[in-house]
Amino acid sequence: MRSALMIAALLLPLSPCLAQVAVTPEPAAPTEGVQSDISTREISIQSNFTGIEILIFGSVDYSTTPEPEKAVHDVIMVVRGPSQPMVVRRKERVAGLWVNGEERVFPTVPGFYTVLSSRPFRAIASAETLKELGVGFTNINLGLDAAGDPIEQTFRSSLIRLKQRAGLFQEHDDGVTFIGRSLFRGTVALPVNVPVGLYVVDVYLFRDGELLSRNQSTLKVNKVGFERLVYLLAFRYPFLYGLIAVLIAVAGGLVAWAVFRRE
Amino acid sequence: MFQIYLPVAEISVNLLVMLGLGATVGFLSGMFGVGGGFLLTPLLMFSGVPPAIAVATGANQIVATSVSGALAQWRRGNIDIKMGWVLIAGGVVGALAGTLLLKVLREAGQAGLIISLTYVLFLGVIGALMLVESLRAMRRARAGKPVRARRAAQHNWVHGLPFKMRFPDSRLYISAIPPLVIGAVVGLLAAFLGVGGGFIMVPAMIYLLRMPTNIVIGTSMFQIIFVTAVVTMLHATLNQTLDVVLAALLVLGGVIGGQFGVRAGQKLKGEQLRALLALMVLAVAIRLLFDLVLRPADLFSIAPIAAGA
């Protein structure tokens, strides 16, 4: 009996007819879960870095999807880069000149934020769930609750718009694709200006608007080689950095004088 | 292709464009015998480099230009070293003030505005004066009248001040206060605008200090080396706005362009040269003014806040 079931399980992908027979006698199916990982754990930024595409992939354990075309699951992926405080300024006209006027500080702005979903994420889960999970531009926690203030709302949406324009905030409604019954994948383009630090990738599995399972993985973005050296010098050893800059300029001037001088 | 990421400016620029920018400004400064900082900093701002970084990096590039210029002058014995040190002493104080001023303005989000406005003012006035003067000189040359000789050295109020010092190379016995003040003003401009300040220092040395004209250029270049070097260090340490990659590109382009500029300059007449430079200076001033007056494409801007601030 047991061996017969095993054979049936092995044949399962081949014959839908047999699969029906094999699945039916199974006692209470184990709960569905999600596993995920990223194509790379570490990204090294060198001077020739022009951006990179990473692949986030995963699978649904004990998928109940009857056949690939009739997916019952939804997947949302959220990629968050290290956050930092940012100031948003609005130009105002003062005496004929456009001058930075009113400003708002947002204490925790993620340096990178991307949402990928298997279909429009607002259709996947309720507004409350999305808010709780911080899914979607409107639900990012920027450290300043702007809900009640229309002016702060304007500043908030401008910040998001500018981040979006720089490719640092992205929303892709069809960014996650299912392959077969349980495998899924999504790609994220990290632009040239990605901040360095630890990135957290959250993958959420939904069925009928209910969060079934979640999985988290991390990604490190580092500067290496010359880029790292310059960055370290500039921000940790600024005196040495300035001295090097002056020496380069002095050397440039000396060389120019020595090579091109005419007596 | 040739895109290079500037680690401090945090923007991606084209390597060839930045080399070309350095070369163009170097060419112009070689041709006209000016430092070129007052063209370089606005041009960097036009290419999307944040104003504070354009200023610091521009100052760094001027170190290179003034080293090769000062060496050439020094070999001809055209530097009053003692006067130079007094000007430098004032310059360092001014540089510190300018750097701190820029830091305060940057944190208030007004650095770009004030830098642009100061440039519009300076470039507008200097460009207009140069244009008028060179047009007059051209008209006189056409009329066949001789160019007016410089007035003989006279004593003015400057010579009544205390703390007198002897400057043998300049054949002067004057108070140390005026060169200190001139040095300080130049240092302030260098730190705040990313210019060498020769355009202020040279006339001041001739008309206020009454230094002999042949050693004015060399002495000003001598001062500019040290003051722009100090400005570079101050911006690197206090504001962290120096981008060494950008600076290196500009230095490289600048030294090459400069040499061709010197040769091109020798083929043009002085008045025409000055009129041409005046027109360029005015064009930059007008462009800067337009950017301030026209409604920007996006009213909002974002900037990170330094962890320490």
Side-chain angles (χ1 to χ4, degrees):
Chain A
M1 176 61 202
R2 218 179 138 180
S3 61
L5 209 106
M6 267 180 74
I7 292 165
L10 284 171
L11 292 173
L12 188 132
L14 302 172
S15 155
C17 201
L18 256 171
Q20 287 293 330
V21 177
V23 168
T24 329
E26 229 171 74
T31 46
E32 296 138 289
V34 67
Q35 308 288 337
S36 70
D37 204 354
I38 315 164
S39 55
T40 175
R41 299 287 175 82
E42 202 162 340
I43 291 172
S44 305
I45 298 183
Q46 300 181 29
S47 25
N48 59 0
F49 182 78
T50 51
I52 195 169
E53 201 160 79
I54 57 164
L55 171 72
I56 303 165
F57 59 94
S59 72
V60 183
D61 294 340
Y62 307 109
S63 173
T64 49
T65 298
E67 47 190 293
E69 288 74 32
K70 293 178 186 160
V72 296
H73 296 108
D74 292 305
V75 168
I76 299 179
M77 299 172 173
V78 182
V79 185
R80 290 184 184 86
S83 62
Q84 68 172 137
M86 296 211 76
V87 58
V88 183
R89 300 190 172 103
R90 185 172 62 189
K91 284 205 161 66
E92 281 151 25
R93 199 160 191 168
V94 179
L97 303 174
W98 288 95
V99 175
N100 280 334
E102 202 159 344
E103 62 177 51
R104 285 289 183 284
V105 173
F106 293 89
T108 56
V109 180
F112 186 82
Y113 179 89
T114 289
V115 175
L116 304 178
S117 47
S118 50
R119 61 190 173 109
F121 61 82
R122 276 172 229 291
I124 292 177
S126 67
E128 293 79 56
T129 310
L130 293 175
K131 191 176 175 68
E132 197 183 313
L133 298 174
V135 173
F137 293 160
T138 47
N139 295 322
I140 306 174
N141 177 17
L142 299 178
L144 183 71
D145 187 21
D149 185 349
I151 296 172
E152 275 178 14
Q153 272 298 338
T154 321
F155 277 83
R156 186 191 159 93
S157 55
S158 298
L159 171 65
I160 290 166
R161 178 169 48 81
L162 289 167
K163 282 279 189 188
Q164 222 182 329
R165 196 185 294 163
L168 293 169
F169 280 21
Q170 306 170 25
E171 272 181 4
H172 300 290
D173 279 343
D174 49 359
V176 179
T177 325
F178 268 92
I179 303 142
R181 292 170 60 239
S182 59
L183 212 58
F184 59 84
R185 55 171 282 160
T187 52
V188 182
L190 301 180
V192 64
N193 50 351
V194 282
V196 293
L198 191 70
Y199 286 60
V200 177
V201 178
D202 284 295
V203 174
Y204 304 104
L205 179 71
F206 287 89
R207 190 185 55 204
D208 303 328
E210 185 198 345
L211 179 63
L212 294 177
S213 175
R214 57 199 286 177
N215 193 284
Q216 196 174 67
S217 36
T218 57
L219 164 74
K220 253 190 203 157
V221 177
N222 285 329
K223 286 182 198 268
V224 293
F226 178 71
E227 290 288 301
R228 179 177 163 77
L229 183 73
V230 172
Y231 198 79
L232 270 182
L233 279 174
F235 295 102
R236 300 246 183 98
Y237 309 101
F239 187 82
L240 186 62
Y241 176 76
L243 204 61
I244 290 170
V246 169
L247 289 179
I248 290 173
V250 170
L254 282 173
V255 168
W257 173 73
V259 172
F260 296 103
R261 76 176 144 166
R262 297 171 138 190
E263 299 303 324
Chain B
M1 193 60 177
F2 296 117
Q3 283 299 113
I4 182 165
Y5 186 72
L6 301 176
V8 175
E10 293 186 322
I11 53 164
S12 192
V13 294
N14 190 298
L15 188 82
L16 298 181
V17 168
M18 286 301 143
L19 275 176
L21 193 64
T24 309
V25 172
F27 181 83
L28 294 173
S29 67
M31 187 156 94
F32 298 119
V34 294
F38 61 92
L39 289 175
L40 183 63
T41 308
L43 287 176
L44 284 174
M45 283 159 65
F46 295 158
S47 5
V49 176
I53 289 170
V55 165
T57 309
N60 191 18
Q61 199 266 356
I62 296 167
V63 176
T65 327
S66 47
V67 163
S68 55
L71 273 171
Q73 295 287 339
W74 174 69
R75 284 181 68 91
R76 289 179 218 139
N78 286 348
I79 298 180
D80 181 342
I81 303 278
K82 192 175 177 189
M83 178 64 85
W85 286 120
V86 175
L87 288 165
I88 289 165
V92 171
V93 176
L96 189 61
T99 309
L100 293 175
L101 182 64
L102 198 55
K103 187 180 174 73
V104 170
L105 286 172
R106 198 160 159 254
E107 275 153 20
Q110 304 297 354
L113 170 78
I114 306 294
I115 291 170
S116 289
L117 266 183
T118 318
Y119 262 114
V120 168
L121 195 75
F122 265 101
L123 297 182
V125 169
I126 288 166
L129 285 176
M130 273 171 61
L131 190 64
V132 169
E133 188 272 338
S134 55
L135 289 179
R136 241 185 236 154
M138 277 155 88
R139 214 175 305 140
R140 265 203 308 273
R142 211 170 301 146
K145 284 178 198 158
V147 179
R148 193 161 29 122
R150 212 172 66 82
R151 279 163 294 170
Q154 298 164 343
H155 276 253
N156 54 18
W157 58 270
V158 164
H159 295 84
L161 293 169
F163 308 113
K164 289 207 170 197
M165 276 178 87
R166 214 169 280 283
F167 297 99
D169 292 340
S170 300
R171 278 167 278 129
L172 283 176
Y173 178 59
I174 57 162
S175 161
I177 294 171
L180 280 174
V181 171
I182 292 168
V185 170
V186 169
L188 184 76
L189 291 177
F192 192 65
L193 298 180
V195 298
F199 61 96
I200 293 283
M201 195 161 28
V202 168
M205 286 155 98
I206 295 173
Y207 297 112
L208 281 177
L209 304 183
R210 304 259 183 232
M211 280 171 69
T213 34
N214 60 320
I215 63 166
V216 162
I217 302 277
T219 309
S220 81
M221 281 176 166
F222 177 73
Q223 192 256 14
I224 290 168
I225 297 175
F226 289 89
V227 172
T228 48
V230 167
V231 166
T232 306
M233 297 294 299
L234 285 172
H235 279 307
T237 49
L238 292 177
N239 293 345
Q240 307 195 313
T241 45
L242 174 68
D243 197 300
V244 77
V245 176
L246 179 60
L249 290 178
L250 295 173
V251 166
L252 185 63
V255 295
I256 296 167
Q259 304 309 319
F260 291 104
V262 170
R263 274 156 228 195
Q266 285 157 354
K267 290 179 188 136
L268 281 168
K269 274 189 197 163
E271 305 92 68
Q272 290 168 347
L273 220 54
R274 282 204 300 279
L276 206 60
L277 180 63
L279 288 176
M280 249 171 343
V281 166
L282 285 176
V284 172
I286 289 165
R287 165 75 203 266
L288 281 168
L289 189 63
F290 262 61
D291 288 349
L292 289 174
V293 173
L294 294 181
R295 187 188 169 85
D298 198 325
L299 290 182
F300 288 87
S301 62
I302 53 176
I305 302 174

